Amino acid sequence: MIRLGNMLVSPGEGGVYGERTLDGYRVWDPYRSKLAALYTLGGGVELTPEMRVLYLGAANGTTVSHVADYVETVYAVEFAPRPMQDLLEVARRRKNIVSIMADANRPDEYAPFMEAVDLLYQDVAQPNQVEIAMKNIVFLKPGGHLILMLKTRSVDVRQDPAEVLAGARAGLEQRLNIADVRWLEPYHHDHAAIVCTLRE
Ligand code: SAM
């Protein structure tokens, strides 16, 4: 990942959502993007030019656009019409974002548009976040990575966040090896990043 001083940046041209640019790079703000927070905290999976990424919960394309600056192709799934409009605009100006309006609970609906991916990134804030991830690992190459941004309050607002995290880990460990887990404080509250590798 590229850093200018202590600032995470990505190498794409032109502002996408009003972000700052510095020496021709786009500043990737950890307060605005959970993935930027993960990298800023020293975790994550290195993004490389040959990578294909499936991104679940694309929203209006803020983080998607930074990922697209680093990798070959991003398949960006979003089910809400309003953010989808913004995502389409972001994708229109880039050649390597494939926008897919679909429910991440139904991977069969977008399977025809997909190829095998090196990284599955998920940020959907749903009660069944682990179930959604497990359904979508069908697209992941053996040895590929999953980064799950777990919003504990979306799973159960009354349960201790540490217990929610333990439950998520147990679910993921059925098919994946967990490489790293970290809370995204101080950038994002009640969010844990779980980084896993699909067993060969
Ligand atoms: N990842 C985005 C970013 O960093 O810019 C923010 C994502 S926002 C927290 C969660 C998004 O997931 C929302 O836009 C929501 O509509 C979408 N979402 C939630 N459940 C989904 C599902 N089952 N399928 C597709 N998108 C979903």
Side-chain angles (χ1 to χ4, degrees):
M1 311 307 295
I2 305 171
R3 288 179 174 79
L4 294 179
N6 61 359
M7 217 177 293
L8 182 69
V9 296
S10 69
E13 281 175 22
V16 173
Y17 54 93
E19 75 281 17
R20 279 194 298 149
T21 55
L22 206 61
D23 295 345
Y25 291 92
R26 301 173 57 220
V27 174
W28 194 358
D29 183 347
Y31 287 98
R32 295 191 67 168
S33 165
K34 282 157 226 147
L35 187 54
L38 177 61
Y39 288 124
T40 301
L41 292 166
V45 172
E46 194 70 18
L47 300 175
T48 55
E50 72 287 350
M51 270 180 137
R52 278 114 171 138
V53 178
L54 172 57
Y55 189 122
L56 305 176
N60 47 15
T62 303
T63 301
V64 168
S65 68
H66 287 287
V67 174
D69 286 346
Y70 278 102
V71 306
E72 181 175 291
T73 310
V74 184
Y75 296 90
V77 176
E78 173 55 53
F79 74 173
R82 182 63 195 87
M84 190 70 194
Q85 283 176 18
D86 294 341
L87 176 64
L88 287 170
E89 185 55 31
V90 172
R92 198 177 60 79
R93 286 183 278 143
R94 275 150 202 274
K95 294 193 192 77
N96 65 341
I97 299 174
V98 180
S99 325
I100 301 172
M101 188 165 179
D103 182 346
N105 284 290
R106 301 292 310 275
D108 48 308
E109 290 184 353
Y110 45 92
F113 313 114
M114 289 295 306
E115 59 181 331
V117 297
D118 307 280
L119 173 64
L120 169 60
Y121 178 76
Q122 180 179 305
D123 179 17
V124 294
Q126 291 287 349
N128 65 334
Q129 289 165 75
V130 170
E131 185 192 351
I132 290 174
M134 296 304 270
K135 284 181 181 172
N136 281 274
I137 60 175
V138 290
F139 301 116
L140 201 51
K141 294 177 187 169
H145 302 286
L146 162 70
I147 301 178
L148 172 60
M149 293 302 178
L150 182 74
K151 184 173 182 181
T152 57
R153 294 173 65 82
S154 297
V155 176
D156 188 341
V157 71
R158 289 157 304 174
Q159 203 179 355
D160 177 0
E163 283 176 23
V164 175
L165 175 59
R169 288 183 67 137
L172 294 168
E173 276 172 337
Q174 293 174 25
R175 296 280 313 277
L176 300 133
N177 295 329
I178 295 181
D180 185 34
V181 178
R182 56 184 87 204
W183 294 99
L184 297 182
E185 301 287 348
Y187 303 107
H188 301 271
H189 306 307
D190 297 319
H191 279 88
I194 310 176
V195 182
C196 313
T197 308
L198 184 61
R199 284 197 276 276
E200 305 267 348

